[in-house]
Amino acid sequence: MFYLLSLLTGILECGWIAFGAAHSLPLWQILCYPLAYHIGNLFPKPFSLSRSMLRIMCFLSAVAGLLTFAVQLSEKAVFVLTCIALFLLSAVIQSVRSGLKSDGNRLLKRVFRIGGFALAPLAAVVPSAILLLSSIVAFIALNEYKGEPGILRMTGQNGFSLVMIFHQLHYFFYAHITLAAMSLLLSGVSTAGIVYAALLFCGTWVTYMSVEPIVSQLTSRILPVFYAGHIGIGILLFVMHCITSVPVFIILWLITGLGGGVVYTISARAKATGSYQKDSMTIAENIGHTLGLLTAVGVAAVFGSTSPQIMLVFGSISALLAVAAMALISRKENYHESIHSKG
């Protein structure tokens, strides 16, 4: 069930980007779909709900999905109902997955996530069917949910929460808006364009997944890998905002996963210094996801077709801010170590 839910998360997160591109929707509107999904992702952490409440949300998501199919509605009504359904489904599915993570293999989970991204273009063909099917699967999966309602608080983790937020911001500033822009561009060239864009997005995740298993075998040093990855991706994203050649841009886009893949060093460094708190790190990730997409929606609404280039610059700045935050933490640690050795 865990891997099936992981597959569905990939489809739900990116499927309606393909849907929006296929229907030539405005860029800001396309990005509202993944934003709705990631707002729902806030509910497992920091917000935890009861099983009965999640069942109600699951039922409402099914109703919203059914209405988009069975009733003649305006485009605006379909847009709103779809966003509501994605929000509700994300809250339910992520709540269940959060409790099942300990039973799942991380590599296999990511493989299924990538499979979901590859299948995402199906939402351009059968969007209502996917919403209904996801609601049914989510309702069944709730039988395995054991969470209790409550609110978790994020601690600063001696600054590592801020580093994680900046890291997640750098990715969510550019990733979905780049996928949306590429989907719109390629859909105008070929009817299979949204499929090509989805596969390219999967390619960025393949490079992302390759970093930790390879680099961790080559070196156990954490900070040099963190700095190299974030400075490198900061420079790369800034260069990308100037590129006008589509083939060159695609190659650079595929390489960006290498920078994101060093995310493991943040938790590793926090653990090494005794600052790591799992729930706080997860909350920091979720905050970065949501704020990054929210910013992308706002910029797309104001600047339109030039917004992807702007968000690439934002991503570059955020990656470098993560470097600055980590450097301040290290400086503080060195200062305290120096005081302790002298004392």
Side-chain angles (χ1 to χ4, degrees), residues 109-185:
K109 177 201 75 172
R110 288 177 174 175
V111 169
F112 274 85
R113 282 273 287 161
I114 292 175
F117 295 144
L119 294 174
L122 288 174
V125 184
V126 286
S128 300
I130 291 174
L131 292 177
L132 287 172
L133 177 62
S134 299
S135 298
I136 293 170
V137 173
F139 191 85
I140 295 171
L142 278 171
N143 292 325
E144 302 184 45
Y145 179 69
K146 301 176 182 178
E148 298 293 334
I151 299 176
L152 296 172
R153 293 184 178 181
M154 181 184 73
T155 65
Q157 302 180 92
N158 293 322
F160 287 102
S161 291
L162 185 61
V163 176
M164 180 58 80
I165 288 174
F166 280 137
H167 173 87
Q168 297 300 335
L169 279 175
H170 106 265
Y171 179 76
F172 281 83
F173 275 155
Y174 81 87
H176 291 77
I177 198 169
T178 300
L179 172 59
M182 191 63 69
S183 299
L184 286 167
L185 175 65

Side-chain angles (χ1 to χ4, degrees), residues 14 36 133 192 299:
C14 293
L133 177 62
V299 171

Side-chain angles (χ1 to χ4, degrees), residues 8-19:
L8 286 177
T9 60
I11 298 173
L12 294 172
E13 181 177 350
C14 293
W16 277 261
I17 294 179
F19 173 88

Side-chain angles (χ1 to χ4, degrees), residues 51-335:
R51 183 186 295 176
S52 58
M53 179 59 70
L54 290 172
R55 279 177 172 161
I56 292 172
M57 294 172 73
C58 199
F59 173 76
L60 292 175
S61 70
V63 171
L66 186 62
L67 287 174
T68 62
F69 171 75
V71 181
Q72 287 288 348
L73 299 171
S74 66
E75 289 185 3
K76 183 181 292 186
V78 171
F79 166 68
V80 172
L81 284 171
T82 301
C83 286
I84 291 173
L86 291 172
F87 159 74
L88 295 171
L89 281 170
S90 175
V92 175
I93 291 175
Q94 296 293 5
S95 294
V96 178
R97 286 181 74 247
S98 181
L100 297 176
K101 278 184 178 179
S102 60
D103 298 326
N105 176 277
R106 185 170 62 165
L107 176 61
L108 198 54
K109 177 201 75 172
R110 288 177 174 175
V111 169
F112 274 85
R113 282 273 287 161
I114 292 175
F117 295 144
L119 294 174
L122 288 174
V125 184
V126 286
S128 300
I130 291 174
L131 292 177
L132 287 172
L133 177 62
S134 299
S135 298
I136 293 170
V137 173
F139 191 85
I140 295 171
L142 278 171
N143 292 325
E144 302 184 45
Y145 179 69
K146 301 176 182 178
E148 298 293 334
I151 299 176
L152 296 172
R153 293 184 178 181
M154 181 184 73
T155 65
Q157 302 180 92
N158 293 322
F160 287 102
S161 291
L162 185 61
V163 176
M164 180 58 80
I165 288 174
F166 280 137
H167 173 87
Q168 297 300 335
L169 279 175
H170 106 265
Y171 179 76
F172 281 83
F173 275 155
Y174 81 87
H176 291 77
I177 198 169
T178 300
L179 172 59
M182 191 63 69
S183 299
L184 286 167
L185 175 65
L186 296 181
S187 65
V189 176
S190 166
T191 55
I194 57 174
V195 175
Y196 299 148
L199 293 176
L200 288 171
F201 188 75
C202 291
T204 68
W205 269 72
V206 171
T207 55
Y208 165 82
M209 287 171 52
S210 69
V211 175
E212 183 177 358
I214 294 175
V215 175
S216 61
Q217 292 297 316
L218 296 175
T219 178
S220 60
R221 300 180 69 185
I222 298 172
L223 285 179
V225 174
F226 171 87
Y227 288 131
H230 284 81
I231 292 173
I233 191 64
I235 295 172
L236 180 60
L237 292 177
F238 187 80
V239 169
M240 285 174 66
H241 102 280
C242 305
I243 300 297
T244 56
S245 168
V246 174
V248 174
F249 184 92
I250 288 174
I251 292 171
L252 296 180
W253 186 28
L254 291 171
I255 295 173
T256 59
L258 299 176
V262 302
V263 63
Y264 76 94
T265 60
I266 302 174
S267 294
R269 182 61 181 172
K271 290 175 182 177
T273 61
S275 303
Y276 180 79
Q277 293 182 9
K278 183 178 180 180
D279 288 342
S280 293
M281 198 65 82
T282 301
I283 294 170
E285 291 180 25
N286 293 342
I287 288 173
H289 300 171
T290 306
L291 289 180
L293 272 166
L294 183 62
T295 303
V297 169
V299 171
V302 175
F303 295 99
S305 61
T306 62
S307 56
Q309 288 76 19
I310 295 172
M311 295 311 300
L312 285 167
V313 175
F314 279 18
S316 173
I317 293 171
S318 186
L320 297 178
L321 286 174
V323 170
M326 183 66 86
L328 287 174
I329 293 172
S330 298
R331 181 179 179 182
K332 184 178 178 181
E333 291 171 354
N334 292 335
Y335 174 77

